[in-house]
Amino acid sequence: MTDSNEYTPPKVWTWKQPNGGAFASINRPIAGPTHEKELPVGRHPLQLYSLATPNGQKVTILLEELLALGHKGAEYDAWLIKIGDGDQFGSGFVDVNPNSKIPALVDRSGAKPVRVFESGSILLHLAEKFGAFLPTTQPERAEVLSWLFWQMGSAPYLGGGFGHFYAYAPTKIEYAIDRFAMETKRQLDVLDRRLAESEYLGGADYSIADIAVFPWYGGLVKGWLYGDSAEFLAAHEYKNVLRWADAIAARPAVIRGRMVNRANGDPAGQLRERHDASDFETKTQDKIAS
């Protein structure tokens, strides 16, 4: 080990607000709103408040896939939540998601609005609502749900573990990076073994399991996450994951879904708000700037 600083935890932890790191300005040890701000409401039944992180992409990909299948009731307004600015701590957002994390959805298609938070819950809500991308018979349904919840339990080790210490922590800690790199590679091996025997995670058909896993692990092997992490983790070794990721990345609905609520990268790939299908042609950042 090469870490030079030793830390002895105190008997009782206390919050040191200027704690460094990329997210120091928004992290805090308490919940609830920091300011009053109502959420905007558009004209569609589904109102999404999000950002194009891997968790946010799950929902916009599914919505675009539903629309591609002809489910007109899946039309949606997608509003940009700038988490770096603390938008997720506005009173309106906290009313929808008391955990102050994106994505958050309000389904206004019924007599009373229904709030749905946590990305896995939103995927399940939409798949059941429209009867798509989730098998209705066993054992196929159980397999899809198992992989959906595998992602929920596993991705924190990838994002909050490996991604944080590899890309965002103010200092490089060998123990932390080794610990979470090892776990991330183990998870990639889990996926690679499954995809060696199955075209998609749930079986022969594309499902919400693939939609949930792709933005995290597909993004990782394609080099979209955490700088040069794909090289660091030797992502090229996971041939089956790469085959699966390439197939999903090429889907038109996935391409569109990854653009929605994006606020970085190529301006032509940024559709910061989405209120109509035509917005992809007329309201990306390159079009707005020109």
Side-chain angles (χ1 to χ4, degrees):
M1 302 299 292
T2 60
D3 300 335
S4 59
N5 296 324
E6 292 186 1
Y7 168 67
T8 301
K11 289 189 179 297
V12 179
W13 181 85
T14 57
W15 182 32
K16 298 178 182 178
Q17 189 167 2
N19 61 355
F23 305 106
S25 64
I26 60 172
N27 287 339
R28 59 196 183 113
I30 56 174
T34 60
H35 58 282
E36 293 294 319
K37 185 178 181 181
E38 293 303 310
L39 291 174
V41 179
R43 64 188 177 90
H44 296 302
L46 300 176
Q47 298 293 303
L48 179 67
Y49 306 94
S50 192
L51 180 69
T53 66
N55 282 334
Q57 290 174 34
K58 299 175 196 175
V59 179
T60 50
I61 287 172
L62 177 56
L63 287 166
E64 291 298 327
E65 292 281 14
L66 289 167
L67 290 169
L69 284 182
H71 293 285
K72 295 182 180 180
E75 270 294 350
Y76 67 104
D77 292 278
W79 304 93
L80 180 64
I81 299 296
K82 298 179 181 178
I83 61 175
D85 294 346
D87 289 353
Q88 69 275 30
F89 300 117
S91 57
F93 190 91
V94 174
D95 285 344
V96 178
N97 185 354
N99 196 38
S100 293
K101 304 289 185 182
I102 61 93
L105 177 76
V106 180
D107 184 344
R108 296 177 175 271
S109 61
K112 293 183 178 181
V114 175
R115 74 176 188 183
V116 193
F117 59 92
E118 294 298 327
S119 59
S121 178
I122 297 172
L123 293 184
L124 189 55
H125 174 82
L126 293 172
E128 290 185 332
K129 179 182 181 72
F130 294 103
F133 302 111
L134 177 62
T136 57
T137 58
Q138 300 292 6
E140 293 82 5
R141 180 182 176 88
E143 191 71 20
V144 167
L145 291 177
S146 292
W147 286 106
L148 172 65
F149 287 101
W150 176 88
Q151 187 276 314
M152 302 301 146
S154 298
Y157 293 95
L158 167 55
F162 171 75
H164 177 80
F165 287 105
Y166 185 75
Y168 301 129
T171 59
K172 302 297 184 186
I173 303 171
E174 183 181 359
Y175 172 80
I177 293 173
D178 281 354
R179 167 70 179 88
F180 290 112
M182 176 180 66
E183 173 60 13
T184 298
K185 286 182 70 66
R186 189 195 68 82
Q187 292 174 5
L188 286 169
D189 194 41
V190 170
L191 290 174
D192 204 61
R193 290 168 185 263
R194 170 58 178 166
L195 292 167
E197 63 187 18
S198 179
E199 184 174 3
Y200 295 106
L201 289 171
D205 297 322
Y206 176 65
S207 73
I208 56 172
D210 304 287
I211 292 171
V213 173
F214 169 76
W216 283 106
Y217 297 88
L220 182 67
V221 299
K222 289 189 71 64
W224 298 339
L225 301 184
Y226 312 127
D228 60 358
S229 62
E231 180 181 4
F232 179 75
L233 296 170
H236 66 278
E237 296 176 349
Y238 304 99
K239 305 295 186 185
N240 301 301
V241 180
L242 284 164
R243 181 269 305 165
W244 165 87
D246 286 342
I248 293 176
R251 295 175 68 93
V254 173
I255 294 170
R256 292 193 299 274
R258 294 188 65 243
M259 294 171 62
V260 178
N261 295 144
R262 181 169 294 281
N264 65 336
D266 182 357
Q270 296 182 39
L271 183 61
R272 296 191 177 185
E273 290 188 1
R274 188 266 193 214
H275 304 290
D276 189 84
S278 64
D279 291 348
F280 290 100
E281 302 300 326
T282 61
K283 294 186 179 179
T284 52
Q285 283 302 110
D286 61 323
K287 303 291 196 314
I288 291 173
S290 62

